[in-house]
Amino acid sequence: MLEVIGHMGLPRCRRTRAAVTTLAALLMLGSCAEDGDARRPDTASAPAAPKARGTESVADYLHRVLPAGVSGTVIAARGDELAYCGGFGTADRASGTPASCGTVYDVMSITKQFTAAAILKLEVMGKLRVSDRISRFLGPVPEGKRDITIDQLLTHTSGLVEALGDDYQPVSRDELVRRAMASKPRSAPGAEFHYSNTGYSLLAVIVEKASGEGYEPFLARHLFSPAGMERTGYVLPRWPRNLIAVEYDSEGHSQGRPVDHPWAADGPYWHLRGNGGMLSTARDMFRWHRALLGDGVLPEEARRKLFAPRVQVPGLDGSYGYGWAVRETSAGRTVWHNGGNDWSLAYLSRSLRDGVLVHWVSNHAYRDGKWNLEDQAEELTQGIADRVRAARRGPL
């Protein structure tokens, strides 16, 4: 079962306005007309999973537990077999557009697993080693940061600060590197876990330096295209605007679409690039899961490195790997990550033993006095996984 630190009674962290509330911040915490019918998932485009006698379907479970007025999309699978996909509520209240499996959402800090996979892809290609010091790619590094390695950036043990500024502040790649090198360390390299969006932005810089390609073009060519993910990226997919979900704040006011915020022509500025802000659909996240079941994106050895528990996360019953949190459960090793901001929230969880995937994302995750999906994130994720397992027993 997934466990968030917030359920252990630790102090809540204020959510940032940024589009990538960190795993640490979320863990320290750990539309439609607002009526009962609004929360019923729209499953017209999703195949129904075989249902065992006496078990509750995913659709019925979601209808029972989701708060009235909340909106988003859920997808679940076992192995390469889709078990459920459906939207609930609306992607755009003004137009009445329902949320669906094809709705494009900001997946926020779930972006980090794409950055980590890109680094391992470059290692497979012989362009770098995760043991390399960052000075190999970032140029002169000041004393105190000279021992930082790519591995430490991946595992949040570099000692770098969590963030250097607002996600939407116009910051170039070179300026990000300069600011990161000038920042005061939180700890010595390799000494402690400190969740760092800055570190993952530096990983995106390393992807560019090692590959000779832009960050998003490299991901598109080496990760997304082999996985069949045509609806994932920053700007390259060129989605029709009406497919992108509008985000709503805790008072129900529209905050626009992710692409309405200040971005550079080729994607977000560098306080956000590489650590968050990626746009995707539920169907593409299923394709990502499916690609990670085989060798289409990464060979087996690289996938083992991706999911290996590497550093204990303080206050969490689990560890951090490369862009994934890792926990040993009764269902075997579970790898997962979340992402959030003041408006949206997303979870992606994969059981490595039986291949159960759960991904859900909400573009209206908080409503003052009515709901806060963080409070039921663990229960919701586990409840979906339980019903996927109950609906189809035995090997696929």
Side-chain angles (χ1 to χ4, degrees), residues 346-368:
Y347 266 70
L348 190 149
S349 171
R350 301 179 67 243
S351 171
L352 300 187
R353 178 188 293 172
D354 61 9
V356 169
L357 162 76
V358 175
H359 170 59
W360 57 266
V361 56
S362 172
N363 61 319
H364 192 193
Y366 314 99
R367 185 62 193 253
D368 289 342

Side-chain angles (χ1 to χ4, degrees), residues 148-167:
I148 295 176
T149 64
I150 294 175
D151 172 89
Q152 291 164 357
L153 294 180
L154 288 164
T155 57
H156 300 289
T157 57
S158 67
L160 290 168
V161 295
E162 187 263 333
L164 291 165
D166 186 89
D167 287 348

Side-chain angles (χ1 to χ4, degrees), residues 188-234:
E192 298 175 3
F193 178 95
H194 294 291
Y195 192 93
S196 177
N197 284 314
T198 300
Y200 266 76
S201 289
L202 289 181
L203 287 169
V205 176
I206 291 171
V207 168
E208 294 199 344
K209 296 276 192 176
S211 69
E213 301 181 50
Y215 170 76
E216 184 186 3
F218 181 86
L219 267 61
R221 188 153 75 97
H222 295 281
L223 302 182
F224 300 153
S225 180
M229 298 165 65
E230 298 179 350
R231 297 283 184 169
T232 300
Y234 285 139

Side-chain angles (χ1 to χ4, degrees), residues 279-347:
L279 305 181
S280 190
T281 67
R283 290 192 183 101
D284 261 18
M285 296 307 290
F286 169 62
R287 293 180 181 108
W288 177 239
H289 158 76
R290 190 170 55 190
L292 292 174
L293 295 173
D295 298 338
V297 168
L298 291 172
E300 183 178 358
E301 181 180 356
R303 297 198 311 276
R304 284 200 301 266
K305 294 180 76 168
L306 196 67
F307 303 131
R310 298 183 179 278
V311 57
Q312 182 68 35
V313 179
L316 175 67
D317 181 16
S319 304
Y320 203 87
Y322 286 167
W324 294 82
V326 184
R327 188 172 182 220
E328 305 300 333
T329 73
S330 59
R333 179 170 295 173
T334 297
V335 295
W336 62 286
H337 214 288
N338 54 19
N341 54 35
D342 282 340
W343 319 305
S344 295
L345 184 65
Y347 266 70

Side-chain angles (χ1 to χ4, degrees), residues 14 35 60-61 67 84 94 102 106 167 232 256 273 305 326-327 329 338 370 372 387 390:
R14 178 182 176 274
D35 56 44
D60 288 344
Y61 170 72
Y84 175 86
D106 182 355
D167 287 348
T232 300
R273 195 172 305 207
K305 294 180 76 168
V326 184
R327 188 172 182 220
T329 73
N338 54 19
K370 294 189 176 182
N372 180 335
R387 281 150 186 83

